[in-house]
Amino acid sequence: MTITLRPGSTVMFTGDSITDCQRLQSEHGLGFGYPLHIAGEWGLRHSDRPVTWLNTGIGGNKVMDLEARWQADVLDTRPDVVSILAGVNDMGWHTLDPKGYVIPVEEFEAGYDRLLAPLAEAGTELILIEPFLLPIGGVVEAGVARALIGEEERKEWRADLNPKIQIVHDLADKYGARLLPADSMFAELAATTGPEYWAEDGVHPTPAGHAALAAAWLRLVT
């Protein structure tokens, strides 16, 4: 079942750097990633149904960071639809930040649930995007400490991420949210092109990766 966007609807994108994508440097405030792709494609297809598009993603945010700013950045805007992509920073935070620690899946679930509960109570439509990790090769630098992330770290991250992806599925079921299975989508796409085509560092999408996210997101709305 899809979400119907009516004329004058307000759609809020929020999350971490994948959503942020330099939004504060962009003229329209949407950044240069999948939210911009979505807004542009929707405007092209539906000139009779203008929508207000907002982006409050902030690079590096974890679920706990979203929760700290949720009232001002999301709830106070009273959006009709909220699209959330979070979790990749909850995975592997202990390797990316000297002050980081392993975030237990129970802590992730409780925090994410607290984000969704007031939106569901207000009747807001929800789109939850799976956090994702593509199986790239080689070593990349990441995080505030510019940690070197190689195959062993990515195996550890994957083991940490899988149960958190399941939590996103469970919360989508609990709140009747639409689920965008981004992790499985990128795994399928990468099988034919190689993962770097969609995200050179395994996390941040390339232009093609953002376009794939946008196309999948647009299939959830009418």
PDB file of all heavy atoms in Angstrom, residues 180-199:
ATOM      1  N   LEU A 180      11.559   0.783   3.071  1.00  0.00           N
ATOM      2  CA  LEU A 180      12.400   0.771   1.877  1.00  0.00           C
ATOM      3  C   LEU A 180      13.605  -0.115   2.194  1.00  0.00           C
ATOM      4  O   LEU A 180      14.474   0.285   2.966  1.00  0.00           O
ATOM      5  CB  LEU A 180      12.838   2.191   1.504  1.00  0.00           C
ATOM      6  CG  LEU A 180      13.385   2.411   0.092  1.00  0.00           C
ATOM      7  CD1 LEU A 180      13.472   3.900  -0.230  1.00  0.00           C
ATOM      8  CD2 LEU A 180      14.747   1.761  -0.126  1.00  0.00           C
ATOM      9  N   PRO A 181      13.666  -1.322   1.608  1.00  0.00           N
ATOM     10  CA  PRO A 181      14.732  -2.265   1.936  1.00  0.00           C
ATOM     11  C   PRO A 181      16.033  -1.946   1.212  1.00  0.00           C
ATOM     12  O   PRO A 181      16.486  -2.673   0.327  1.00  0.00           O
ATOM     13  CB  PRO A 181      14.139  -3.605   1.500  1.00  0.00           C
ATOM     14  CG  PRO A 181      13.245  -3.257   0.360  1.00  0.00           C
ATOM     15  CD  PRO A 181      12.669  -1.902   0.690  1.00  0.00           C
ATOM     16  N   ALA A 182      16.676  -0.861   1.623  1.00  0.00           N
ATOM     17  CA  ALA A 182      17.840  -0.352   0.900  1.00  0.00           C
ATOM     18  C   ALA A 182      19.021  -1.311   0.943  1.00  0.00           C
ATOM     19  O   ALA A 182      19.753  -1.445  -0.043  1.00  0.00           O
ATOM     20  CB  ALA A 182      18.245   1.009   1.453  1.00  0.00           C
ATOM     21  N   ASP A 183      19.228  -1.976   2.076  1.00  0.00           N
ATOM     22  CA  ASP A 183      20.387  -2.867   2.183  1.00  0.00           C
ATOM     23  C   ASP A 183      20.264  -4.026   1.200  1.00  0.00           C
ATOM     24  O   ASP A 183      21.217  -4.336   0.480  1.00  0.00           O
ATOM     25  CB  ASP A 183      20.516  -3.394   3.606  1.00  0.00           C
ATOM     26  CG  ASP A 183      21.809  -4.158   3.830  1.00  0.00           C
ATOM     27  OD1 ASP A 183      22.883  -3.547   3.712  1.00  0.00           O
ATOM     28  OD2 ASP A 183      21.737  -5.372   4.111  1.00  0.00           O
ATOM     29  N   SER A 184      19.121  -4.650   1.158  1.00  0.00           N
ATOM     30  CA  SER A 184      18.924  -5.758   0.212  1.00  0.00           C
ATOM     31  C   SER A 184      18.889  -5.262  -1.224  1.00  0.00           C
ATOM     32  O   SER A 184      19.372  -5.944  -2.140  1.00  0.00           O
ATOM     33  CB  SER A 184      17.658  -6.543   0.556  1.00  0.00           C
ATOM     34  OG  SER A 184      16.531  -5.700   0.609  1.00  0.00           O
ATOM     35  N   MET A 185      18.352  -4.073  -1.450  1.00  0.00           N
ATOM     36  CA  MET A 185      18.337  -3.500  -2.793  1.00  0.00           C
ATOM     37  C   MET A 185      19.753  -3.301  -3.314  1.00  0.00           C
ATOM     38  O   MET A 185      20.083  -3.702  -4.445  1.00  0.00           O
ATOM     39  CB  MET A 185      17.599  -2.155  -2.793  1.00  0.00           C
ATOM     40  CG  MET A 185      17.618  -1.428  -4.139  1.00  0.00           C
ATOM     41  SD  MET A 185      17.004   0.280  -4.059  1.00  0.00           S
ATOM     42  CE  MET A 185      18.412   1.121  -3.307  1.00  0.00           C
ATOM     43  N   PHE A 186      20.619  -2.706  -2.491  1.00  0.00           N
ATOM     44  CA  PHE A 186      21.986  -2.458  -2.939  1.00  0.00           C
ATOM     45  C   PHE A 186      22.774  -3.757  -3.094  1.00  0.00           C
ATOM     46  O   PHE A 186      23.630  -3.864  -3.979  1.00  0.00           O
ATOM     47  CB  PHE A 186      22.697  -1.509  -1.983  1.00  0.00           C
ATOM     48  CG  PHE A 186      22.374  -0.053  -2.211  1.00  0.00           C
ATOM     49  CD1 PHE A 186      21.901   0.745  -1.183  1.00  0.00           C
ATOM     50  CD2 PHE A 186      22.537   0.525  -3.465  1.00  0.00           C
ATOM     51  CE1 PHE A 186      21.606   2.088  -1.393  1.00  0.00           C
ATOM     52  CE2 PHE A 186      22.242   1.862  -3.694  1.00  0.00           C
ATOM     53  CZ  PHE A 186      21.768   2.641  -2.648  1.00  0.00           C
ATOM     54  N   ALA A 187      22.488  -4.744  -2.251  1.00  0.00           N
ATOM     55  CA  ALA A 187      23.152  -6.042  -2.408  1.00  0.00           C
ATOM     56  C   ALA A 187      22.810  -6.654  -3.757  1.00  0.00           C
ATOM     57  O   ALA A 187      23.678  -7.208  -4.453  1.00  0.00           O
ATOM     58  CB  ALA A 187      22.747  -6.980  -1.279  1.00  0.00           C
ATOM     59  N   GLU A 188      21.556  -6.539  -4.154  1.00  0.00           N
ATOM     60  CA  GLU A 188      21.130  -7.077  -5.447  1.00  0.00           C
ATOM     61  C   GLU A 188      21.753  -6.293  -6.596  1.00  0.00           C
ATOM     62  O   GLU A 188      22.239  -6.882  -7.574  1.00  0.00           O
ATOM     63  CB  GLU A 188      19.606  -7.045  -5.544  1.00  0.00           C
ATOM     64  CG  GLU A 188      19.044  -7.651  -6.800  1.00  0.00           C
ATOM     65  CD  GLU A 188      17.533  -7.684  -6.823  1.00  0.00           C
ATOM     66  OE1 GLU A 188      16.906  -7.500  -5.762  1.00  0.00           O
ATOM     67  OE2 GLU A 188      16.960  -7.885  -7.914  1.00  0.00           O
ATOM     68  N   LEU A 189      21.757  -4.973  -6.486  1.00  0.00           N
ATOM     69  CA  LEU A 189      22.346  -4.151  -7.542  1.00  0.00           C
ATOM     70  C   LEU A 189      23.848  -4.413  -7.662  1.00  0.00           C
ATOM     71  O   LEU A 189      24.387  -4.486  -8.770  1.00  0.00           O
ATOM     72  CB  LEU A 189      22.102  -2.670  -7.246  1.00  0.00           C
ATOM     73  CG  LEU A 189      20.664  -2.165  -7.378  1.00  0.00           C
ATOM     74  CD1 LEU A 189      20.549  -0.742  -6.854  1.00  0.00           C
ATOM     75  CD2 LEU A 189      20.188  -2.227  -8.834  1.00  0.00           C
ATOM     76  N   ALA A 190      24.515  -4.546  -6.531  1.00  0.00           N
ATOM     77  CA  ALA A 190      25.972  -4.725  -6.530  1.00  0.00           C
ATOM     78  C   ALA A 190      26.397  -6.057  -7.118  1.00  0.00           C
ATOM     79  O   ALA A 190      27.549  -6.203  -7.553  1.00  0.00           O
ATOM     80  CB  ALA A 190      26.504  -4.587  -5.108  1.00  0.00           C
ATOM     81  N   ALA A 191      25.492  -7.012  -7.158  1.00  0.00           N
ATOM     82  CA  ALA A 191      25.830  -8.330  -7.681  1.00  0.00           C
ATOM     83  C   ALA A 191      26.213  -8.289  -9.152  1.00  0.00           C
ATOM     84  O   ALA A 191      26.968  -9.142  -9.629  1.00  0.00           O
ATOM     85  CB  ALA A 191      24.667  -9.293  -7.470  1.00  0.00           C
ATOM     86  N   THR A 192      25.735  -7.279  -9.870  1.00  0.00           N
ATOM     87  CA  THR A 192      26.028  -7.205 -11.303  1.00  0.00           C
ATOM     88  C   THR A 192      27.048  -6.124 -11.652  1.00  0.00           C
ATOM     89  O   THR A 192      27.753  -6.240 -12.653  1.00  0.00           O
ATOM     90  CB  THR A 192      24.736  -6.938 -12.105  1.00  0.00           C
ATOM     91  OG1 THR A 192      24.097  -5.759 -11.603  1.00  0.00           O
ATOM     92  CG2 THR A 192      23.771  -8.108 -11.972  1.00  0.00           C
ATOM     93  N   THR A 193      27.168  -5.101 -10.823  1.00  0.00           N
ATOM     94  CA  THR A 193      28.051  -3.977 -11.157  1.00  0.00           C
ATOM     95  C   THR A 193      29.292  -3.907 -10.279  1.00  0.00           C
ATOM     96  O   THR A 193      30.250  -3.222 -10.610  1.00  0.00           O
ATOM     97  CB  THR A 193      27.304  -2.649 -10.997  1.00  0.00           C
ATOM     98  OG1 THR A 193      26.912  -2.506  -9.628  1.00  0.00           O
ATOM     99  CG2 THR A 193      26.075  -2.590 -11.890  1.00  0.00           C
ATOM    100  N   GLY A 194      29.247  -4.547  -9.118  1.00  0.00           N
ATOM    101  CA  GLY A 194      30.245  -4.319  -8.072  1.00  0.00           C
ATOM    102  C   GLY A 194      29.724  -3.247  -7.128  1.00  0.00           C
ATOM    103  O   GLY A 194      29.020  -2.324  -7.544  1.00  0.00           O
ATOM    104  N   PRO A 195      30.028  -3.349  -5.830  1.00  0.00           N
ATOM    105  CA  PRO A 195      29.445  -2.428  -4.848  1.00  0.00           C
ATOM    106  C   PRO A 195      29.919  -0.991  -4.965  1.00  0.00           C
ATOM    107  O   PRO A 195      29.171  -0.055  -4.655  1.00  0.00           O
ATOM    108  CB  PRO A 195      29.860  -3.043  -3.510  1.00  0.00           C
ATOM    109  CG  PRO A 195      31.060  -3.871  -3.819  1.00  0.00           C
ATOM    110  CD  PRO A 195      30.844  -4.401  -5.197  1.00  0.00           C
ATOM    111  N   GLU A 196      31.154  -0.790  -5.416  1.00  0.00           N
ATOM    112  CA  GLU A 196      31.688   0.580  -5.486  1.00  0.00           C
ATOM    113  C   GLU A 196      30.911   1.469  -6.447  1.00  0.00           C
ATOM    114  O   GLU A 196      30.941   2.699  -6.311  1.00  0.00           O
ATOM    115  CB  GLU A 196      33.165   0.544  -5.882  1.00  0.00           C
ATOM    116  CG  GLU A 196      34.093  -0.003  -4.821  1.00  0.00           C
ATOM    117  CD  GLU A 196      34.161  -1.525  -4.806  1.00  0.00           C
ATOM    118  OE1 GLU A 196      33.479  -2.169  -5.647  1.00  0.00           O
ATOM    119  OE2 GLU A 196      34.888  -2.084  -3.962  1.00  0.00           O
ATOM    120  N   TYR A 197      30.236   0.864  -7.396  1.00  0.00           N
ATOM    121  CA  TYR A 197      29.430   1.641  -8.346  1.00  0.00           C
ATOM    122  C   TYR A 197      28.323   2.415  -7.623  1.00  0.00           C
ATOM    123  O   TYR A 197      27.936   3.509  -8.055  1.00  0.00           O
ATOM    124  CB  TYR A 197      28.815   0.708  -9.388  1.00  0.00           C
ATOM    125  CG  TYR A 197      28.044   1.421 -10.471  1.00  0.00           C
ATOM    126  CD1 TYR A 197      28.705   1.988 -11.565  1.00  0.00           C
ATOM    127  CD2 TYR A 197      26.659   1.535 -10.415  1.00  0.00           C
ATOM    128  CE1 TYR A 197      28.005   2.651 -12.558  1.00  0.00           C
ATOM    129  CE2 TYR A 197      25.949   2.195 -11.407  1.00  0.00           C
ATOM    130  CZ  TYR A 197      26.623   2.747 -12.470  1.00  0.00           C
ATOM    131  OH  TYR A 197      25.917   3.406 -13.459  1.00  0.00           O
ATOM    132  N   TRP A 198      27.843   1.843  -6.518  1.00  0.00           N
ATOM    133  CA  TRP A 198      26.712   2.435  -5.801  1.00  0.00           C
ATOM    134  C   TRP A 198      27.145   3.212  -4.568  1.00  0.00           C
ATOM    135  O   TRP A 198      26.440   4.140  -4.137  1.00  0.00           O
ATOM    136  CB  TRP A 198      25.726   1.327  -5.402  1.00  0.00           C
ATOM    137  CG  TRP A 198      25.309   0.511  -6.583  1.00  0.00           C
ATOM    138  CD1 TRP A 198      25.779  -0.730  -6.937  1.00  0.00           C
ATOM    139  CD2 TRP A 198      24.401   0.890  -7.624  1.00  0.00           C
ATOM    140  NE1 TRP A 198      25.197  -1.144  -8.124  1.00  0.00           N
ATOM    141  CE2 TRP A 198      24.346  -0.175  -8.568  1.00  0.00           C
ATOM    142  CE3 TRP A 198      23.613   2.016  -7.848  1.00  0.00           C
ATOM    143  CZ2 TRP A 198      23.550  -0.135  -9.703  1.00  0.00           C
ATOM    144  CZ3 TRP A 198      22.815   2.059  -8.982  1.00  0.00           C
ATOM    145  CH2 TRP A 198      22.792   0.999  -9.887  1.00  0.00           C
ATOM    146  N   ALA A 199      28.291   2.848  -3.980  1.00  0.00           N
ATOM    147  CA  ALA A 199      28.807   3.559  -2.797  1.00  0.00           C
ATOM    148  C   ALA A 199      30.292   3.261  -2.700  1.00  0.00           C
ATOM    149  O   ALA A 199      30.679   2.154  -2.313  1.00  0.00           O
ATOM    150  CB  ALA A 199      28.093   3.131  -1.523  1.00  0.00           C
TER     151      ALA A 199
END
